[in-house]
Amino acid sequence: MWTSVRMSNAKNLLGLGVSLYFWGLMDLTTTVLSGSARPLTEGQEDNMSDKLHQRMKRSWVWNQFFVLEEYTGTDPLYVGKLHSDMDRGDGSIKYILSGEGAGIVFTIDDTTGDIHAIQRLDREERSQYTLRAQALDRRTGRPMEPESEFIIKIQDINDNEPKFLDGPYVASVPEMSPVGTSVIQVTATDADDPTYGNSARVVYSILQGQPYFSVDSRTGLIRTALMNMDREAKEYYEVIIQAKDMGGQLGGLAGTTTVNITLSDVNDNPPRFPQKHYQMSVLESAPVSSTVGRVVAKDLDEGINAEMKYSLVDGDGLDVFDINTDPNYQVGIITVRKPLSFESKKSYTLKVEGANPHLEMRFLNLGPFRDTTTVHISVEDVDEPPVFEPSFYFVEVPEDVEIGTTIQTISAKDPDVTNNSIRYSIDRSSDPGRFFYVDITSGALMTARPLDREDVSWHNITVLAMELNNPSQVGSVSVTVKVLDVNDNAPEFARFYEAFVCENAKAGQLIQTVSAIDKDDPQEGQHFYYSLAPEAANNPNFTLRDNQDNTAWILTRRSGFRQHEQNTFYLPILISDNGRPVLSSTGTLTVHVCSCDDDGMVMSCNAEAYVLPVSLSRGALIAILACIFVLLVLVLLILSMRRQRKQPYIIDEEENIHENIVRYDDEGGGEEDTEAFDIAAMWNPREAQLVVKNRQDMLPEIESLSRYVPQACVMDNNVHNYVLAKLYEADMDLWAPPFDSLQTYMFEGNGSVAESLSSLQSVTTDSDQSYDYLTDWGPRFKKLAEMYGATDSSGALW
């Protein structure tokens, strides 16, 4: 029979009040041999087997050993003793220990069965060990007792303080919360055995954070303990919580943690503008949506509770300015809503309101949560570019308009108070073909080149207006010119037509269908009329039928065509349009006579060649070519001689002498040279036709340009028309040399408003001029008065 004994030293017995533990002493149904062990005979074994079948009891029932943790002595800690009833103390029994910690943590004396702990035990690391015990015959090794299992439990002592595993804590609670509002719950754990004594019973207390917060001693729940805690006064709190075991009694172990509590914001502060009046200024040239200035209302709250909504609630600039809220900085941005004008209004006054959009009902008594301020905005004057009225021009002009015709007058003005003069021009990038010209002072838009709708039907040009005193100020306006169609293109065949007629064709047979095209685009649509040309009206071979659908049929009028008689016919066809005026053109239809089979399929359209009865010899051909060459040489010689022969220069009386372009190869004679022109002709243009001297010694290299321009243009008051026509002629004449020319556009002298401004012919003799006024000019002009002044017979000066 096994017996296990737990022996403790006096110290342990005194401390725990426990002395000995006996477990499971039960009868063993095995045969106990006294003395040395003998092997059983066969009859004994059978008898033993019968006894086992008759009565079976376990020899021992193992329960638990208890041992205190954290043993600090130097000797191995005695745990208990194993003993078998078969052990008579002679050392014949050998005890063996196996299982968890056997030989490492626990050892057994194989003779006495004493169990010791040889390592420091910690219940928090391992609370129990399961081992197996066995008793063997030391001599034979036979089991004396069946192997049995037992447990060694580690008994707890208060060696662990409470710990806050989730600390430090971070929590928040709304400001102005009522007393007792829950903030956060903290939890401390104790590693000691909660089932044994008070080692794991924890009590909470607050060490720092009073009187603002309190903690429940049993649950660890932290609550507010002070009313009306204001975030704007103090936002952060550091609370220290203690957890102590042993129910908080003296000698218990304690642990602490920190709880960082933040007061979250509520909307308990209304917004306020730091100043009640703002003064701002903006240039009148500020574009729409540009920023004028910023206003800000201060709010002690934060986050969503500090959000602002700015608006204009009053003032004389509600339709001129606008205000937007910057969501990042909560400022009100005043912007331009409409274009400004210093000349029309120089200042504006606005009333701006800033309000909290998110309100809390329980704090409405602290309001109102809005505030207002006044903003004065001054408009500053700037030198603005000219402004066109209207801001866009649309002009329709027929394509046959004459060069120099004014098609539109562009008008711009200086919006500033100074009202500077305006000069007009065309942005040449918008009119690369230079079809138009604008008068620099009046803004009259004129044609400078012929317009052709079929070439360019739309012109989009930009007219610039520049201040005379400040060329950097330039305004612009778009002018759209639509070229209207006029009937200036005659219809013509859509393609080259070539028809074939068989020799066996019958009268009235269709040989060709023709159609026409017209570059014009009349509003009523195209309609063409076909007929034979007058010279072919009575054509005996072919006739024409107008189908009234812009096509015509060509029909044979007779039969019996023969190739050897005539193999090709040319039929002129007159095509007319329905425009005003009616335009027409003549197209020629080429008709070949061909030989065809019975089905009308063309076989051959070549006429048989006729052999000339007489052939030319090689010598005759050479003689003919030589004659042709001689004739060419004679013609070239005559032309060269005619070019070199000098002819007197005779001025056409119809020409204007002031527009002659003359180039000489010799040096002029100065004032003494009066052969080229009469100086009197420069006094009055009308005298140029009365007194003309013909230059005989020099032939001008180019003729006057005036013959290419009607004389009405020369004397026309609108000088621009004349200049533009001349410019167009020069641009179109690829052979005109770049000679300088003298153009006279305005005249003075007899017949003019200013009359003659020249001293020539102003007087006939020196006596006609009086210099008596020189005597009134003082001593400085006495000498001149003596030289030119009138004297009497006695020599006295008058």
Side-chain angles (χ1 to χ4, degrees), residues 220-246:
L221 180 62
I222 301 175
R223 295 184 175 91
T224 57
L226 189 66
M227 63 182 303
N228 296 331
M229 286 192 294
D230 192 0
R231 184 197 66 86
E232 288 72 31
K234 185 176 181 180
E235 184 177 2
Y236 301 102
Y237 295 86
E238 185 179 76
V239 178
I240 298 177
I241 301 297
Q242 175 184 269
K244 190 174 184 181
D245 60 10
M246 298 299 291

PDB file of all heavy atoms in Angstrom, residues 220-246:
ATOM      1  N   GLY A 220     -13.795  51.438 -11.068  1.00  0.00           N
ATOM      2  CA  GLY A 220     -12.775  52.205 -11.784  1.00  0.00           C
ATOM      3  C   GLY A 220     -13.346  53.188 -12.780  1.00  0.00           C
ATOM      4  O   GLY A 220     -12.621  53.660 -13.660  1.00  0.00           O
ATOM      5  N   LEU A 221     -14.641  53.510 -12.699  1.00  0.00           N
ATOM      6  CA  LEU A 221     -15.268  54.450 -13.625  1.00  0.00           C
ATOM      7  C   LEU A 221     -14.986  55.877 -13.170  1.00  0.00           C
ATOM      8  O   LEU A 221     -15.267  56.239 -12.035  1.00  0.00           O
ATOM      9  CB  LEU A 221     -16.777  54.205 -13.667  1.00  0.00           C
ATOM     10  CG  LEU A 221     -17.583  55.113 -14.592  1.00  0.00           C
ATOM     11  CD1 LEU A 221     -17.139  54.929 -16.037  1.00  0.00           C
ATOM     12  CD2 LEU A 221     -19.083  54.838 -14.445  1.00  0.00           C
ATOM     13  N   ILE A 222     -14.428  56.672 -14.100  1.00  0.00           N
ATOM     14  CA  ILE A 222     -14.085  58.066 -13.822  1.00  0.00           C
ATOM     15  C   ILE A 222     -15.242  58.940 -14.262  1.00  0.00           C
ATOM     16  O   ILE A 222     -15.747  58.807 -15.387  1.00  0.00           O
ATOM     17  CB  ILE A 222     -12.778  58.466 -14.531  1.00  0.00           C
ATOM     18  CG1 ILE A 222     -11.630  57.569 -14.061  1.00  0.00           C
ATOM     19  CG2 ILE A 222     -12.443  59.928 -14.279  1.00  0.00           C
ATOM     20  CD1 ILE A 222     -10.322  57.818 -14.799  1.00  0.00           C
ATOM     21  N   ARG A 223     -15.644  59.900 -13.412  1.00  0.00           N
ATOM     22  CA  ARG A 223     -16.731  60.821 -13.704  1.00  0.00           C
ATOM     23  C   ARG A 223     -16.285  62.242 -13.412  1.00  0.00           C
ATOM     24  O   ARG A 223     -15.294  62.474 -12.712  1.00  0.00           O
ATOM     25  CB  ARG A 223     -17.957  60.489 -12.845  1.00  0.00           C
ATOM     26  CG  ARG A 223     -18.605  59.151 -13.124  1.00  0.00           C
ATOM     27  CD  ARG A 223     -19.857  58.996 -12.288  1.00  0.00           C
ATOM     28  NE  ARG A 223     -20.598  57.771 -12.601  1.00  0.00           N
ATOM     29  CZ  ARG A 223     -20.423  56.627 -12.002  1.00  0.00           C
ATOM     30  NH1 ARG A 223     -19.517  56.531 -11.041  1.00  0.00           N
ATOM     31  NH2 ARG A 223     -21.138  55.562 -12.341  1.00  0.00           N
ATOM     32  N   THR A 224     -17.045  63.199 -14.033  1.00  0.00           N
ATOM     33  CA  THR A 224     -16.783  64.603 -13.738  1.00  0.00           C
ATOM     34  C   THR A 224     -17.295  64.911 -12.347  1.00  0.00           C
ATOM     35  O   THR A 224     -18.332  64.398 -11.895  1.00  0.00           O
ATOM     36  CB  THR A 224     -17.495  65.512 -14.756  1.00  0.00           C
ATOM     37  OG1 THR A 224     -18.897  65.235 -14.748  1.00  0.00           O
ATOM     38  CG2 THR A 224     -16.948  65.279 -16.162  1.00  0.00           C
ATOM     39  N   ALA A 225     -16.550  65.772 -11.637  1.00  0.00           N
ATOM     40  CA  ALA A 225     -16.910  66.106 -10.263  1.00  0.00           C
ATOM     41  C   ALA A 225     -17.137  67.596 -10.082  1.00  0.00           C
ATOM     42  O   ALA A 225     -17.471  68.029  -8.968  1.00  0.00           O
ATOM     43  CB  ALA A 225     -15.815  65.627  -9.309  1.00  0.00           C
ATOM     44  N   LEU A 226     -16.938  68.413 -11.173  1.00  0.00           N
ATOM     45  CA  LEU A 226     -17.087  69.856 -11.068  1.00  0.00           C
ATOM     46  C   LEU A 226     -17.937  70.336 -12.220  1.00  0.00           C
ATOM     47  O   LEU A 226     -17.719  69.916 -13.377  1.00  0.00           O
ATOM     48  CB  LEU A 226     -15.718  70.544 -11.078  1.00  0.00           C
ATOM     49  CG  LEU A 226     -15.689  72.044 -10.764  1.00  0.00           C
ATOM     50  CD1 LEU A 226     -16.119  72.283  -9.308  1.00  0.00           C
ATOM     51  CD2 LEU A 226     -14.283  72.598 -10.999  1.00  0.00           C
ATOM     52  N   MET A 227     -18.856  71.220 -12.003  1.00  0.00           N
ATOM     53  CA  MET A 227     -19.740  71.706 -13.052  1.00  0.00           C
ATOM     54  C   MET A 227     -19.096  72.898 -13.779  1.00  0.00           C
ATOM     55  O   MET A 227     -18.201  73.565 -13.251  1.00  0.00           O
ATOM     56  CB  MET A 227     -21.097  72.101 -12.459  1.00  0.00           C
ATOM     57  CG  MET A 227     -21.040  73.251 -11.457  1.00  0.00           C
ATOM     58  SD  MET A 227     -22.671  73.637 -10.762  1.00  0.00           S
ATOM     59  CE  MET A 227     -23.601  73.964 -12.229  1.00  0.00           C
ATOM     60  N   ASN A 228     -19.604  73.116 -15.008  1.00  0.00           N
ATOM     61  CA  ASN A 228     -19.198  74.262 -15.835  1.00  0.00           C
ATOM     62  C   ASN A 228     -17.693  74.312 -16.078  1.00  0.00           C
ATOM     63  O   ASN A 228     -17.060  75.368 -16.004  1.00  0.00           O
ATOM     64  CB  ASN A 228     -19.663  75.584 -15.220  1.00  0.00           C
ATOM     65  CG  ASN A 228     -21.169  75.690 -15.157  1.00  0.00           C
ATOM     66  OD1 ASN A 228     -21.872  75.107 -15.987  1.00  0.00           O
ATOM     67  ND2 ASN A 228     -21.672  76.421 -14.173  1.00  0.00           N
ATOM     68  N   MET A 229     -17.100  73.172 -16.341  1.00  0.00           N
ATOM     69  CA  MET A 229     -15.693  73.179 -16.730  1.00  0.00           C
ATOM     70  C   MET A 229     -15.588  73.731 -18.158  1.00  0.00           C
ATOM     71  O   MET A 229     -16.201  73.204 -19.101  1.00  0.00           O
ATOM     72  CB  MET A 229     -15.112  71.765 -16.666  1.00  0.00           C
ATOM     73  CG  MET A 229     -14.878  71.286 -15.247  1.00  0.00           C
ATOM     74  SD  MET A 229     -13.895  69.774 -15.164  1.00  0.00           S
ATOM     75  CE  MET A 229     -15.010  68.604 -15.924  1.00  0.00           C
ATOM     76  N   ASP A 230     -14.824  74.789 -18.344  1.00  0.00           N
ATOM     77  CA  ASP A 230     -14.754  75.542 -19.599  1.00  0.00           C
ATOM     78  C   ASP A 230     -13.471  75.180 -20.342  1.00  0.00           C
ATOM     79  O   ASP A 230     -12.366  75.342 -19.795  1.00  0.00           O
ATOM     80  CB  ASP A 230     -14.804  77.040 -19.310  1.00  0.00           C
ATOM     81  CG  ASP A 230     -15.023  77.855 -20.576  1.00  0.00           C
ATOM     82  OD1 ASP A 230     -15.128  77.256 -21.668  1.00  0.00           O
ATOM     83  OD2 ASP A 230     -15.096  79.091 -20.473  1.00  0.00           O
ATOM     84  N   ARG A 231     -13.633  74.702 -21.568  1.00  0.00           N
ATOM     85  CA  ARG A 231     -12.455  74.343 -22.372  1.00  0.00           C
ATOM     86  C   ARG A 231     -11.588  75.564 -22.661  1.00  0.00           C
ATOM     87  O   ARG A 231     -10.357  75.461 -22.746  1.00  0.00           O
ATOM     88  CB  ARG A 231     -12.904  73.711 -23.689  1.00  0.00           C
ATOM     89  CG  ARG A 231     -11.755  73.213 -24.563  1.00  0.00           C
ATOM     90  CD  ARG A 231     -12.213  72.980 -25.977  1.00  0.00           C
ATOM     91  NE  ARG A 231     -12.600  74.236 -26.604  1.00  0.00           N
ATOM     92  CZ  ARG A 231     -11.734  75.046 -27.208  1.00  0.00           C
ATOM     93  NH1 ARG A 231     -10.459  74.749 -27.252  1.00  0.00           N
ATOM     94  NH2 ARG A 231     -12.148  76.177 -27.750  1.00  0.00           N
ATOM     95  N   GLU A 232     -12.239  76.702 -22.880  1.00  0.00           N
ATOM     96  CA  GLU A 232     -11.472  77.895 -23.199  1.00  0.00           C
ATOM     97  C   GLU A 232     -10.626  78.369 -22.017  1.00  0.00           C
ATOM     98  O   GLU A 232      -9.637  79.074 -22.203  1.00  0.00           O
ATOM     99  CB  GLU A 232     -12.412  79.014 -23.647  1.00  0.00           C
ATOM    100  CG  GLU A 232     -13.031  78.792 -25.034  1.00  0.00           C
ATOM    101  CD  GLU A 232     -14.079  77.709 -25.046  1.00  0.00           C
ATOM    102  OE1 GLU A 232     -14.758  77.527 -24.010  1.00  0.00           O
ATOM    103  OE2 GLU A 232     -14.222  77.033 -26.088  1.00  0.00           O
ATOM    104  N   ALA A 233     -10.992  77.948 -20.778  1.00  0.00           N
ATOM    105  CA  ALA A 233     -10.196  78.282 -19.602  1.00  0.00           C
ATOM    106  C   ALA A 233      -9.101  77.244 -19.361  1.00  0.00           C
ATOM    107  O   ALA A 233      -7.948  77.583 -19.095  1.00  0.00           O
ATOM    108  CB  ALA A 233     -11.096  78.402 -18.358  1.00  0.00           C
ATOM    109  N   LYS A 234      -9.450  75.947 -19.423  1.00  0.00           N
ATOM    110  CA  LYS A 234      -8.474  74.875 -19.274  1.00  0.00           C
ATOM    111  C   LYS A 234      -8.962  73.689 -20.081  1.00  0.00           C
ATOM    112  O   LYS A 234     -10.088  73.233 -19.902  1.00  0.00           O
ATOM    113  CB  LYS A 234      -8.297  74.496 -17.806  1.00  0.00           C
ATOM    114  CG  LYS A 234      -7.196  73.465 -17.591  1.00  0.00           C
ATOM    115  CD  LYS A 234      -6.976  73.170 -16.108  1.00  0.00           C
ATOM    116  CE  LYS A 234      -5.858  72.158 -15.914  1.00  0.00           C
ATOM    117  NZ  LYS A 234      -5.628  71.845 -14.476  1.00  0.00           N
ATOM    118  N   GLU A 235      -8.101  73.200 -20.926  1.00  0.00           N
ATOM    119  CA  GLU A 235      -8.526  72.165 -21.868  1.00  0.00           C
ATOM    120  C   GLU A 235      -8.025  70.783 -21.483  1.00  0.00           C
ATOM    121  O   GLU A 235      -8.742  69.788 -21.667  1.00  0.00           O
ATOM    122  CB  GLU A 235      -8.046  72.519 -23.274  1.00  0.00           C
ATOM    123  CG  GLU A 235      -8.505  71.560 -24.354  1.00  0.00           C
ATOM    124  CD  GLU A 235      -8.072  71.997 -25.744  1.00  0.00           C
ATOM    125  OE1 GLU A 235      -7.377  73.041 -25.843  1.00  0.00           O
ATOM    126  OE2 GLU A 235      -8.435  71.303 -26.720  1.00  0.00           O
ATOM    127  N   TYR A 236      -6.818  70.676 -20.953  1.00  0.00           N
ATOM    128  CA  TYR A 236      -6.208  69.375 -20.688  1.00  0.00           C
ATOM    129  C   TYR A 236      -6.082  69.134 -19.179  1.00  0.00           C
ATOM    130  O   TYR A 236      -5.725  70.047 -18.410  1.00  0.00           O
ATOM    131  CB  TYR A 236      -4.818  69.285 -21.327  1.00  0.00           C
ATOM    132  CG  TYR A 236      -4.845  69.477 -22.821  1.00  0.00           C
ATOM    133  CD1 TYR A 236      -4.465  70.700 -23.377  1.00  0.00           C
ATOM    134  CD2 TYR A 236      -5.256  68.446 -23.667  1.00  0.00           C
ATOM    135  CE1 TYR A 236      -4.499  70.884 -24.744  1.00  0.00           C
ATOM    136  CE2 TYR A 236      -5.284  68.625 -25.036  1.00  0.00           C
ATOM    137  CZ  TYR A 236      -4.899  69.851 -25.575  1.00  0.00           C
ATOM    138  OH  TYR A 236      -4.933  70.027 -26.919  1.00  0.00           O
ATOM    139  N   TYR A 237      -6.361  67.880 -18.792  1.00  0.00           N
ATOM    140  CA  TYR A 237      -6.248  67.453 -17.386  1.00  0.00           C
ATOM    141  C   TYR A 237      -5.493  66.127 -17.348  1.00  0.00           C
ATOM    142  O   TYR A 237      -5.743  65.236 -18.171  1.00  0.00           O
ATOM    143  CB  TYR A 237      -7.626  67.275 -16.748  1.00  0.00           C
ATOM    144  CG  TYR A 237      -8.418  68.560 -16.642  1.00  0.00           C
ATOM    145  CD1 TYR A 237      -9.196  69.004 -17.713  1.00  0.00           C
ATOM    146  CD2 TYR A 237      -8.385  69.321 -15.476  1.00  0.00           C
ATOM    147  CE1 TYR A 237      -9.924  70.181 -17.617  1.00  0.00           C
ATOM    148  CE2 TYR A 237      -9.119  70.498 -15.373  1.00  0.00           C
ATOM    149  CZ  TYR A 237      -9.888  70.925 -16.454  1.00  0.00           C
ATOM    150  OH  TYR A 237     -10.604  72.089 -16.357  1.00  0.00           O
ATOM    151  N   GLU A 238      -4.604  66.021 -16.343  1.00  0.00           N
ATOM    152  CA  GLU A 238      -3.876  64.774 -16.126  1.00  0.00           C
ATOM    153  C   GLU A 238      -4.337  64.185 -14.790  1.00  0.00           C
ATOM    154  O   GLU A 238      -4.095  64.774 -13.736  1.00  0.00           O
ATOM    155  CB  GLU A 238      -2.372  65.013 -16.119  1.00  0.00           C
ATOM    156  CG  GLU A 238      -1.565  63.736 -16.007  1.00  0.00           C
ATOM    157  CD  GLU A 238      -0.066  63.996 -16.024  1.00  0.00           C
ATOM    158  OE1 GLU A 238       0.445  64.445 -14.982  1.00  0.00           O
ATOM    159  OE2 GLU A 238       0.566  63.764 -17.070  1.00  0.00           O
ATOM    160  N   VAL A 239      -4.988  63.033 -14.882  1.00  0.00           N
ATOM    161  CA  VAL A 239      -5.550  62.378 -13.697  1.00  0.00           C
ATOM    162  C   VAL A 239      -4.749  61.105 -13.427  1.00  0.00           C
ATOM    163  O   VAL A 239      -4.484  60.323 -14.358  1.00  0.00           O
ATOM    164  CB  VAL A 239      -7.047  62.060 -13.916  1.00  0.00           C
ATOM    165  CG1 VAL A 239      -7.620  61.340 -12.694  1.00  0.00           C
ATOM    166  CG2 VAL A 239      -7.822  63.339 -14.202  1.00  0.00           C
ATOM    167  N   ILE A 240      -4.367  60.905 -12.148  1.00  0.00           N
ATOM    168  CA  ILE A 240      -3.622  59.704 -11.743  1.00  0.00           C
ATOM    169  C   ILE A 240      -4.540  58.843 -10.885  1.00  0.00           C
ATOM    170  O   ILE A 240      -5.065  59.296  -9.854  1.00  0.00           O
ATOM    171  CB  ILE A 240      -2.338  60.066 -10.982  1.00  0.00           C
ATOM    172  CG1 ILE A 240      -1.405  60.887 -11.900  1.00  0.00           C
ATOM    173  CG2 ILE A 240      -1.634  58.804 -10.499  1.00  0.00           C
ATOM    174  CD1 ILE A 240      -0.138  61.342 -11.203  1.00  0.00           C
ATOM    175  N   ILE A 241      -4.720  57.592 -11.321  1.00  0.00           N
ATOM    176  CA  ILE A 241      -5.589  56.634 -10.636  1.00  0.00           C
ATOM    177  C   ILE A 241      -4.708  55.539 -10.029  1.00  0.00           C
ATOM    178  O   ILE A 241      -3.786  55.033 -10.685  1.00  0.00           O
ATOM    179  CB  ILE A 241      -6.616  56.027 -11.605  1.00  0.00           C
ATOM    180  CG1 ILE A 241      -7.469  57.123 -12.229  1.00  0.00           C
ATOM    181  CG2 ILE A 241      -7.494  55.013 -10.885  1.00  0.00           C
ATOM    182  CD1 ILE A 241      -8.303  57.908 -11.244  1.00  0.00           C
ATOM    183  N   GLN A 242      -5.020  55.161  -8.739  1.00  0.00           N
ATOM    184  CA  GLN A 242      -4.296  54.086  -8.056  1.00  0.00           C
ATOM    185  C   GLN A 242      -5.210  52.891  -7.870  1.00  0.00           C
ATOM    186  O   GLN A 242      -6.382  53.030  -7.525  1.00  0.00           O
ATOM    187  CB  GLN A 242      -3.784  54.564  -6.702  1.00  0.00           C
ATOM    188  CG  GLN A 242      -3.119  53.450  -5.886  1.00  0.00           C
ATOM    189  CD  GLN A 242      -2.699  53.917  -4.517  1.00  0.00           C
ATOM    190  OE1 GLN A 242      -1.589  54.378  -4.319  1.00  0.00           O
ATOM    191  NE2 GLN A 242      -3.612  53.817  -3.537  1.00  0.00           N
ATOM    192  N   ALA A 243      -4.626  51.691  -8.090  1.00  0.00           N
ATOM    193  CA  ALA A 243      -5.305  50.424  -7.802  1.00  0.00           C
ATOM    194  C   ALA A 243      -4.484  49.676  -6.753  1.00  0.00           C
ATOM    195  O   ALA A 243      -3.292  49.417  -6.964  1.00  0.00           O
ATOM    196  CB  ALA A 243      -5.454  49.606  -9.081  1.00  0.00           C
ATOM    197  N   LYS A 244      -5.117  49.281  -5.622  1.00  0.00           N
ATOM    198  CA  LYS A 244      -4.420  48.633  -4.518  1.00  0.00           C
ATOM    199  C   LYS A 244      -5.123  47.333  -4.170  1.00  0.00           C
ATOM    200  O   LYS A 244      -6.352  47.277  -4.090  1.00  0.00           O
ATOM    201  CB  LYS A 244      -4.400  49.554  -3.309  1.00  0.00           C
ATOM    202  CG  LYS A 244      -3.503  49.084  -2.176  1.00  0.00           C
ATOM    203  CD  LYS A 244      -3.430  50.136  -1.078  1.00  0.00           C
ATOM    204  CE  LYS A 244      -2.458  49.710   0.022  1.00  0.00           C
ATOM    205  NZ  LYS A 244      -2.390  50.711   1.110  1.00  0.00           N
ATOM    206  N   ASP A 245      -4.321  46.229  -4.001  1.00  0.00           N
ATOM    207  CA  ASP A 245      -4.907  44.935  -3.668  1.00  0.00           C
ATOM    208  C   ASP A 245      -5.068  44.801  -2.158  1.00  0.00           C
ATOM    209  O   ASP A 245      -4.871  45.758  -1.415  1.00  0.00           O
ATOM    210  CB  ASP A 245      -4.082  43.796  -4.274  1.00  0.00           C
ATOM    211  CG  ASP A 245      -2.647  43.784  -3.785  1.00  0.00           C
ATOM    212  OD1 ASP A 245      -2.338  44.527  -2.835  1.00  0.00           O
ATOM    213  OD2 ASP A 245      -1.822  43.051  -4.371  1.00  0.00           O
ATOM    214  N   MET A 246      -5.403  43.592  -1.746  1.00  0.00           N
ATOM    215  CA  MET A 246      -5.702  43.309  -0.344  1.00  0.00           C
ATOM    216  C   MET A 246      -6.861  44.172   0.153  1.00  0.00           C
ATOM    217  O   MET A 246      -6.946  44.537   1.324  1.00  0.00           O
ATOM    218  CB  MET A 246      -4.473  43.523   0.553  1.00  0.00           C
ATOM    219  CG  MET A 246      -3.292  42.620   0.223  1.00  0.00           C
ATOM    220  SD  MET A 246      -3.675  40.861   0.405  1.00  0.00           S
ATOM    221  CE  MET A 246      -3.861  40.741   2.183  1.00  0.00           C
TER     222      MET A 246
END
